[in-house]
Amino acid sequence: DNVNSMTANLTVQFRTIAEVTTAVANGDLSKKFALDVKGESLALKDTINTMVDQLNSFGSEVNRVTREVGVEGKLGGQANVKGVTGTWKDVTDNVNTMAANLTGQLRAITEVATAVSKGDFTRSIVVE
C-alpha cells in the first residue's frame, strides 16, 4: 500500500513538472509548480518556479522597453530584471545597449534637425 501511495505521489509530481515545463516551452508563463512537496522535490519546485518568475520578469521588461523606445518613442528606457544571470543577463544587457544606442541616435538627429530648422548648418551627427 505504501509503495502504491509513493508511486502515485511521484506520478503526480512528474505530471506537474511536465505540465509546467511544457507550458514554459510553449511560451505560457502562467503555470507554476504548486504541489506541497519536501526534500529534493521542494528544491526542484523552487527552481522551476524561480525560472518561471525570472522568465516572466525578463519577458515583461524586454517587451516594455521595446514598446516604449521602439513604438511609443519614449527615450531612455532600460530593462531592469532582478536575479537573472548568464544568457538572460546578456540578453537584458544587449536590449539595454540597443535602447541606449537608439536613444542617443534619435537625440542626435533631433538636435541637428532643430539646429537646421533655425538656420544653423554647422551641426552634424558623429557616427562611430
Side-chain angles (χ1 to χ4, degrees):
D1 220 20
N2 285 340
V3 171
N4 288 337
S5 176
M6 182 180 71
T7 302
N9 187 25
L10 286 173
T11 299
V12 169
Q13 289 178 31
F14 280 116
R15 283 186 183 144
T16 301
I17 292 167
E19 181 180 307
V20 173
T21 55
T22 299
V24 169
N26 291 326
D28 178 0
L29 301 176
S30 66
K31 300 210 180 309
K32 291 181 90 173
F33 193 130
L35 296 177
D36 185 28
V37 292
K38 297 176 182 161
E40 287 84 5
S41 294
L42 178 59
L44 182 59
K45 170 187 175 179
D46 290 344
T47 299
I48 289 170
N49 288 341
T50 298
M51 176 186 70
V52 171
D53 289 341
Q54 286 180 338
L55 287 171
N56 236 329
S57 177
F58 172 79
S60 294
E61 280 296 287
V62 169
N63 282 332
R64 180 187 61 77
V65 169
T66 55
R67 183 185 64 253
E68 284 180 1
V69 175
V71 176
E72 298 170 4
K74 293 181 184 175
L75 302 180
Q78 294 283 285
N80 182 14
V81 186
K82 294 180 177 136
V84 294
T85 59
T87 298
W88 298 115
K89 175 145 181 19
D90 293 343
V91 173
T92 302
D93 291 346
N94 288 332
V95 165
N96 286 338
T97 299
M98 181 184 66
N101 288 342
L102 182 58
T103 295
Q105 292 167 7
L106 288 173
R107 285 184 176 151
I109 291 167
T110 301
E111 183 180 310
V112 171
T114 300
V116 168
S117 74
K118 294 178 180 179
D120 180 358
F121 298 100
T122 63
R123 299 288 182 97
S124 62
I125 297 173
V126 177
V127 179
E128 296 178 21

